[in-house]
Amino acid sequence: MRQKITLREVGLRDGLQIHPTFMQTRDKLAWIVAEAGAGIFEIEVTSYVPPKLIPQFADAAPVTEGALCIPGLTVTALIPNLRGAQRGIELGVHKLNFVMSVSHTHNMKNVRRPPAESVADFREIVALIRSQPVNARPVICGGLSTALGCSYEGRIAVSQVVKYAVQLAEAGAQELVVADTVGYADPNQVRAVFKAMLAEVGSLPVAAHFHDTRGTGLANVCAALDCGITMFDASLAGLGGCPFAPGASGNVVMEDLCFMLDSMGYDTGVDLQKLVAVRTLVAQALPDIAMQGALARAGLPQGYVPAAVRQPA
Ligand code: ZN
């Protein structure tokens, strides 16, 4: 039995949020449909923030509604606060990704409150969800951004990450995600953080969210795999820059990640050729967006046999 890996597309949120050109709603939906068709079954489709803050997400409602029509797709969205959670519940989204920064300075700049207050906000969100009828409750995920480095504070102590992971878990998170928001992490650090965290909150599913800003993305995925992590965020064509490093590469490239995992024998459920083909659609819709990706540049190796059809050696 091959180990199953859950891959979550975050390009529509992480990739588009700092991109200045609005991607048309129909193009976003075409992207979601195509990528789900390639075998990506969880997609973060938008963010429930006020449109005047991030105009790219002005169409959060129709994008969510459209995505919810795709059979078998888990539709998720980012929420910064209680108001975002309310919108998500009204729309019937499957999963809410609440995000707070482990870095005090980053959280102050981002949501104007210390991390402890964000944990308090998270408790209110959980209470709101639990007040809904059972069949109308989205899964609530607690996200720790800047957990592996911060552009204001540099390295973040492992103990801080563990502290907030435990607090979110105690507050009712059903899942956690640890994010290297600015792409500072290295594999040794990833092992240290995930091992310490899993020792405390290992009963919850924990996902990893890496950026490839400094070329360590896939190496960090391997380090997290070593720790037993089986859920990863990535974005098609590595969309998702860093506001603090203009022009830098973004999230781990979904196609490259799928290729690496498939080569290693993991079960991603993804059709690599179909996945690479989704790039064309995105490139046509957003000609001014920078696309990364080694697999798309080089193609599959000669005679490549996907793990799903490979005979055991
Ligand atoms: Zn990110």
Side-chain angles (χ1 to χ4, degrees):
M1 265 288 267
R2 289 183 301 136
Q3 170 73 55
K4 233 183 130 29
I5 302 287
T6 303
L7 296 169
R8 301 132 40 115
E9 172 61 60
V10 296
L12 287 118
R13 197 275 306 163
D14 213 347
L16 296 183
Q17 70 185 4
I18 62 160
H19 190 64
T21 315
F22 180 74
M23 190 180 200
Q24 295 300 319
T25 308
R26 62 170 182 279
D27 293 330
K28 289 177 183 167
L29 286 170
W31 175 2
I32 297 166
V33 167
E35 202 162 330
I40 301 287
F41 297 120
E42 180 165 335
I43 303 184
E44 190 175 64
V45 299
T46 190
S47 177
Y48 301 133
V49 289
K52 65 173 189 297
L53 228 58
I54 309 183
Q56 185 65 256
F57 302 131
D59 60 356
V63 167
T64 304
E65 284 158 356
L68 286 169
C69 296
I70 303 169
L73 179 69
T74 298
V75 181
T76 75
L78 188 134
I79 54 163
N81 52 30
L82 186 68
R83 188 171 294 231
Q86 271 158 346
R87 282 185 72 194
I89 291 167
E90 281 160 21
L91 288 163
V93 75
H94 298 135
K95 188 188 283 184
L96 294 171
N97 294 327
F98 172 80
V99 66
M100 61 173 278
S101 300
V102 178
S103 150
H104 181 91
T105 315
H106 193 270
N107 210 55
M108 291 300 293
K109 299 243 181 206
N110 226 15
V111 287
R112 295 187 295 276
R113 67 197 68 199
E117 274 181 42
S118 284
V119 175
D121 292 344
F122 185 71
R123 284 193 196 97
E124 282 183 46
I125 290 167
V126 171
L128 173 72
I129 292 171
R130 288 181 178 165
S131 71
Q132 308 299 313
V134 177
N135 61 359
R137 293 179 196 170
V139 171
I140 180 71
C141 173
L144 295 169
S145 78
T146 64
L148 293 128
C150 168
S151 37
Y152 303 108
E153 294 187 6
R155 274 248 170 173
I156 299 293
V158 176
S159 60
Q160 288 296 101
V161 186
V162 174
K163 178 173 102 179
Y164 291 117
V166 168
Q167 289 186 8
L168 291 179
E170 284 173 354
Q174 293 164 285
E175 190 182 292
L176 296 170
V177 57
V178 178
D180 180 19
T181 312
V182 290
Y184 281 13
D186 66 77
N188 287 342
Q189 184 192 5
V190 166
R191 280 189 201 93
V193 168
F194 279 85
K195 273 185 190 153
M197 223 188 107
L198 290 169
E200 299 295 328
V201 296
S203 58
L204 285 182
V206 177
H209 175 112
F210 296 125
H211 282 240
D212 197 35
T213 324
R214 289 169 184 81
T216 54
L218 289 180
N220 290 335
V221 167
C222 287
L225 282 168
D226 289 345
C227 300
I229 300 300
T230 59
M231 293 199 297
F232 295 94
D233 290 354
S235 66
L236 190 84
L239 302 182
C242 172
F244 306 99
S249 49
N251 287 72
V252 165
V253 176
M254 181 63 93
E255 308 87 291
D256 296 353
L257 173 61
C258 284
F259 170 67
M260 183 186 81
L261 293 169
D262 190 79
S263 298
M264 292 167 85
Y266 288 102
D267 177 7
T268 64
V270 172
D271 181 320
L272 286 168
Q273 254 133 5
K274 277 191 188 168
L275 182 66
V276 170
V278 184
R279 295 168 61 96
T280 311
L281 190 151
V282 175
Q284 280 168 355
L286 279 182
D288 61 338
I289 204 160
M291 301 183 84
Q292 318 284 340
L295 180 69
R297 277 198 305 272
L300 285 169
Q302 202 61 250
Y304 185 76
V305 181
V309 292
R310 216 177 293 155
Q311 297 297 324

